[in-house]
Amino acid sequence: MALTLLLGGARSGKSALALRRARAVGAPVVFIATAEALDPEMEARIVRHRAERDPSWKTIEAPLDPQRALADAGARACVVIDCLSLWVANLLQSGLGEDEILARAAAAATVASHRDGPTIAVSNEVGMGVVPEYALGRRYRDLLGQANAAWAERAEEALLIVAGRALTLEAAE
């Protein structure tokens, strides 16, 4: 079926839109979470996000391997992956090189785009702001931009979410 990519800035409404779309599908929903509770603030954020989801949904914690979680989700389920930006950060922090991270991004996007059920992937758009001062920040920004492009290339639909509004992103020619 279809892969949808929702991109946007922090608190732009990406996750809320993903949840609304998943509820509207009318199929079982599998939520693939990439966040890890490494500090109290992130722990609280994860608790808030869990409360927003339907309790009947299955959640798979996959901070490093959403591709495997996609395979475990069930062919016809609607899958929400939230979010690719944390996943790329997790991979970078784990010590993987850029080529390996981008290969994993392309492979996971391909799996997501070939599922029978719909897949909704959420990611931050971090390349539209200030250039990070530190090399690691610039490296992350560039990697995430390339990973997002790999997912967008395979997506049937890509939307940029700004202030709770969605703009359709057309393929570049």
Side-chain angles (χ1 to χ4, degrees):
M1 197 165 212
L3 169 60
T4 298
L5 178 63
L6 304 179
L7 295 166
R11 296 285 178 248
S12 61
K14 307 175 300 291
S15 294
L17 179 57
L19 298 180
R20 285 194 307 273
R21 284 184 163 213
R23 284 185 190 102
V25 169
V29 177
V30 176
F31 190 94
I32 298 175
T34 62
E36 292 183 286
L38 301 176
D39 59 49
E41 184 272 334
M42 189 55 107
E43 210 170 281
R45 185 180 294 253
I46 290 170
V47 168
R48 280 194 315 274
H49 277 282
R50 283 182 182 148
E52 295 169 352
R53 298 194 295 261
D54 188 306
S56 69
W57 293 0
K58 178 181 178 180
T59 297
I60 301 174
E61 304 288 340
L64 294 173
D65 197 359
Q67 183 175 337
R68 183 169 154 199
L70 281 164
D72 294 342
R76 301 212 181 275
C78 175
V79 172
V80 175
I81 303 171
D82 198 354
C83 71
L84 302 179
S85 47
L86 286 174
W87 173 49
V88 169
N90 294 341
L91 293 176
L92 188 58
Q93 186 175 13
S94 77
L96 289 179
E98 294 175 19
D99 290 342
E100 178 64 19
I101 292 170
L102 295 175
R104 287 185 185 206
T110 298
V111 169
S113 69
H114 287 93
R115 295 185 63 255
D116 290 337
T119 304
I120 305 165
V122 175
S123 190
N124 287 345
E125 173 49 68
V126 298
M128 298 169 85
V130 175
V131 175
E133 180 178 354
Y134 299 100
L136 179 59
R138 291 188 298 273
R139 185 172 172 220
Y140 170 72
R141 179 207 52 197
D142 294 349
L143 272 170
L144 182 58
Q146 291 173 290
N148 285 344
W151 280 76
E153 179 182 326
R154 291 157 179 83
E156 182 175 295
E157 178 183 41
L159 301 174
L160 177 65
I161 313 304
V162 179
R165 300 291 181 125
L167 300 168
T168 300
L169 301 176
E170 300 295 328
E173 296 186 34

